[in-house]
Amino acid sequence: MFMFEIFSRSKEKNIENKEQFPALIKKDLPPPPPWQKALGVGVVVMGLAIGTGELILWPHLIVKHGLVLLWLAFLGITFQYFINQEVARYTIATGESFFTASARVFKWSAIFWLIAAPLLYIWPGWASAIGTTLKELFGFGQHIFWAMLPLGLVLILTYSGKVAYTVLEYSLKIIVPLFFVMILIISFLNVDLNTLKEALIGLLSFGVIPENVDINVLLGAVVFAGAGGMLNLCVSLWYRDKQTGMAAYIGRITNPITGKAEAIPATGYFFEPNKENLQKWYGWLRYVRIDQGVIFWFLGFLTLFLLSVNAYAVLAPRGLVPEGLQVAVVQAYIFGEQWGPIGFKLFLVMAFLMLFSVMWTVIDALTRIVSDIFYTNSRSGPLKRYFSCLENVSLNTLYYVIITIVAVVGAFLIPFRQPLTLLVISAVLGGLTMAIYTPLLVYINNTRLPKPLRPSWLTNLIMALISIFFIYFSVRIFIYHFF
């Protein structure tokens, strides 16, 4: 009854006020696939984690301040497991993105996310890091040239596939496992028992933060211990294109040149929480928990741990700190320590693959967020009057036009800052948005979903603690800069 009441009330309001989003349409929840097919979005998010926190920010911090900070890395990626799960919850239940759900609660939130996303992710920090990596690998040219090259490659790969998400996922399913196996092998050669013991102590050193640590870099590392910032919110868009739960009724973003257009409604659906649908619902939740728990959380943290410990074991004795233009390059000694020049070059190749995957994923995420907000609000909702000029533009066209613009703007911004600086800017802004959207996510899932679909009291408690954590760090940064 609850489900029918909430949506009948919503329909009545829509009759009275045509500016509101339309009520969700009733359909049955599709059955979940076997758990073996759950792997997908977790791989994408793990790829993000490896190429940001694991490959850049955490080795930088650990080499400078020691393994005592590993407890914060563990908290960061654990927090994001719960955030990703809760972002996915609403999309499974309705097929809508977080950004549409947010706009249903606060109509002007769409404008906020539309401004915040480019501010967070237009900075080409990953492209700049790739530039120095490729320059070191090939031994000639300027790093700016090498940084612009992969931006063009992103466009080539994006336009070559029929479904944008599928190309991205398949690429990461090759790159991420390969990198994980390589770092696992080299760890047996680089890390001794004493270093491993020190690392385990660091994992248990809750509350210990060195006095001279840069609070901006520290928050950035915690944010990028997983996807970070609004990239976590893009989980809802990736699960939607993977057609998870009620998103099975919503079409995917296809290439307007080589792909076949699929119908993409601006708003979503709901299902009656009867016995049959609830059984399917729990199957979909298990699907997400395997994807996010096993792939993103477990393997993601293991990779973060091993990269940090290897950096500490190999780079610290040499006095090498991953920073500046060499933030990724100096870590090639992790492989070079045991395998010589061949190992050095091999790490550079793997670093390129991971950083390129991250750059591609971040550009994809930014494009999806902006495209989704434009598409949804140009067709329905209280902001339709402001976006009506895009009413006849398909989501496919929006996506491919915007991703081209993002790549071109990124190329123009490359010369202005070093990669670590760009990534810290992105991460700090991301941490501030997490302080905003985490409590909003709790509110949406506990008020906009029927009771059987809502998170448990334990999940709500953990999400509340996560909110407090990011709010605390946001206040710390504000005081650090202005007082």
Side-chain angles (χ1 to χ4, degrees):
M1 289 298 294
F2 178 87
M3 176 67 81
F4 292 113
E5 288 174 10
I6 189 170
F7 288 108
S8 64
R9 286 199 299 268
S10 178
K11 189 171 282 187
E12 288 171 9
K13 289 180 180 178
N14 283 324
I15 293 173
E16 296 171 5
N17 187 351
K18 293 181 180 180
E19 287 193 343
Q20 297 302 313
F21 284 103
L24 304 180
I25 300 169
K26 181 185 174 185
K27 285 182 177 288
D28 281 331
L29 180 65
W35 67 266
Q36 298 94 325
K37 295 186 178 181
L39 312 183
V41 177
V43 176
V44 173
V45 185
M46 181 185 170
L48 277 171
I50 292 175
T52 49
E54 279 89 329
L55 193 60
I56 295 179
L57 292 176
W58 278 108
H60 169 83
L61 278 172
I62 295 299
V63 172
K64 285 188 74 172
H65 303 289
L67 295 166
V68 71
L69 285 172
L70 279 175
W71 67 275
L72 270 170
F74 176 76
L75 278 187
I77 199 165
T78 301
F79 286 168
Q80 292 190 42
Y81 161 74
F82 285 98
I83 291 173
N84 293 350
Q85 177 183 276
E86 292 309 296
V87 170
R89 183 185 298 273
Y90 186 84
T91 299
I92 298 172
T94 67
E96 290 188 342
S97 71
F98 167 85
F99 304 101
T100 304
S102 173
R104 285 183 181 273
V105 177
F106 302 111
K107 71 174 184 179
W108 293 106
S109 65
I111 303 297
F112 174 79
W113 302 124
L114 196 57
I115 295 171
L119 283 177
L120 264 67
Y121 302 117
I122 201 66
W123 314 106
W126 294 276
S128 191
I130 290 171
T132 58
T133 302
L134 290 179
K135 179 186 176 184
E136 184 71 23
L137 180 63
F138 291 105
F140 66 90
Q142 297 295 317
H143 99 276
I144 292 177
F145 163 76
W146 289 112
M148 290 184 178
L149 200 63
L151 287 169
L153 184 57
V154 165
L155 295 181
I156 292 171
L157 290 173
T158 300
Y159 277 92
S160 67
K162 292 183 178 181
V163 179
Y165 172 80
T166 303
V167 177
L168 179 67
E169 181 186 307
Y170 284 174
S171 300
L172 286 168
K173 278 184 175 179
I174 297 170
I175 296 169
V176 170
L178 183 61
F179 188 85
F180 177 77
V181 170
M182 294 298 296
I183 198 67
L184 194 62
I185 293 171
I186 201 65
S187 296
F188 284 103
L189 302 173
N190 283 339
V191 181
D192 58 31
L193 289 177
N194 289 331
T195 304
L196 189 60
K197 181 180 178 181
E198 189 177 347
L200 294 175
I201 292 172
L203 273 179
L204 301 175
S205 301
F206 291 97
V208 177
I209 299 177
E211 290 184 6
N212 59 338
V213 68
D214 186 326
I215 191 71
N216 291 321
V217 178
L218 185 60
L219 175 62
V222 173
V223 168
F224 280 151
M230 288 178 65
L231 297 175
N232 294 98
L233 299 180
C234 199
V235 164
S236 68
L237 297 172
W238 288 320
Y239 273 123
R240 192 171 70 180
D241 252 26
K242 193 149 174 83
Q243 302 196 301
T244 307
M246 296 299 279
Y249 298 110
I250 295 178
R252 300 167 298 173
I253 297 175
T254 56
N255 191 322
I257 300 172
T258 62
K260 182 180 180 181
E262 298 182 5
I264 303 176
T267 52
Y269 304 89
F270 78 95
F271 62 89
E272 181 184 355
N274 55 35
K275 184 178 180 180
E276 182 181 352
N277 279 330
L278 284 177
Q279 188 174 3
K280 298 175 188 175
W281 168 256
Y282 295 128
W284 279 113
L285 285 184
R286 184 167 56 251
Y287 171 97
V288 170
R289 284 167 182 158
I290 291 171
D291 189 36
Q292 294 297 322
V294 176
I295 304 302
F296 166 66
W297 180 79
F298 178 72
L299 294 182
F301 176 71
L302 189 56
T303 306
L304 185 157
F305 179 84
L306 292 176
L307 266 172
S308 297
V309 173
N310 273 279
Y312 182 77
V314 176
L315 303 182
R318 292 172 175 262
L320 295 173
V321 178
E323 58 187 350
L325 289 172
Q326 303 299 308
V327 67
V329 171
V330 299
Q331 293 184 68
Y333 287 103
I334 292 174
F335 282 15
E337 180 82 359
Q338 299 293 337
W339 295 336
I342 294 176
F344 191 90
K345 295 289 187 182
L346 179 61
F347 186 92
L348 292 176
V349 171
M350 296 306 301
F352 160 72
L353 291 173
M354 287 312 311
L355 289 168
F356 176 75
S357 299
V358 171
M359 182 188 70
W360 183 8
T361 308
V362 170
I363 291 174
D364 174 81
L366 171 57
T367 304
R368 284 177 186 276
I369 291 169
V370 174
S371 302
D372 179 71
I373 294 171
F374 277 147
Y375 183 79
T376 301
N377 289 277
S378 67
R379 285 158 171 77
S380 62
L383 301 181
K384 182 179 178 181
R385 72 184 84 168
Y386 304 108
F387 294 94
S388 58
C389 60
L390 298 172
E391 187 174 2
N392 296 320
V393 181
S394 70
L395 182 57
N396 300 334
T397 301
L398 279 171
Y399 176 90
Y400 283 89
V401 169
I402 292 171
I403 199 169
T404 304
I405 293 171
V406 170
V408 171
V409 171
F412 277 107
L413 291 174
I414 284 172
F416 293 106
R417 289 279 185 171
Q418 293 182 350
L420 185 63
T421 305
L422 292 170
L423 295 179
V424 170
I425 290 171
S426 178
V428 169
L429 292 173
L432 298 178
T433 62
M434 292 174 87
I436 295 170
Y437 74 65
T438 307
L440 178 58
L441 187 58
V442 173
Y443 175 81
I444 289 171
N445 283 346
N446 282 280
T447 61
R448 298 283 163 156
L449 295 178
K451 287 184 179 179
L453 311 187
R454 294 176 185 176
S456 67
W457 69 267
L458 180 59
T459 298
N460 281 325
L461 175 61
I462 293 171
M463 289 294 290
L465 293 174
I466 294 170
S467 301
I468 293 169
F469 178 89
F470 284 109
I471 291 170
Y472 166 76
F473 260 100
S474 298
V475 172
R476 279 282 301 270
I477 284 179
F478 181 81
I479 294 172
Y480 177 82
H481 284 288
F482 297 103
F483 294 97

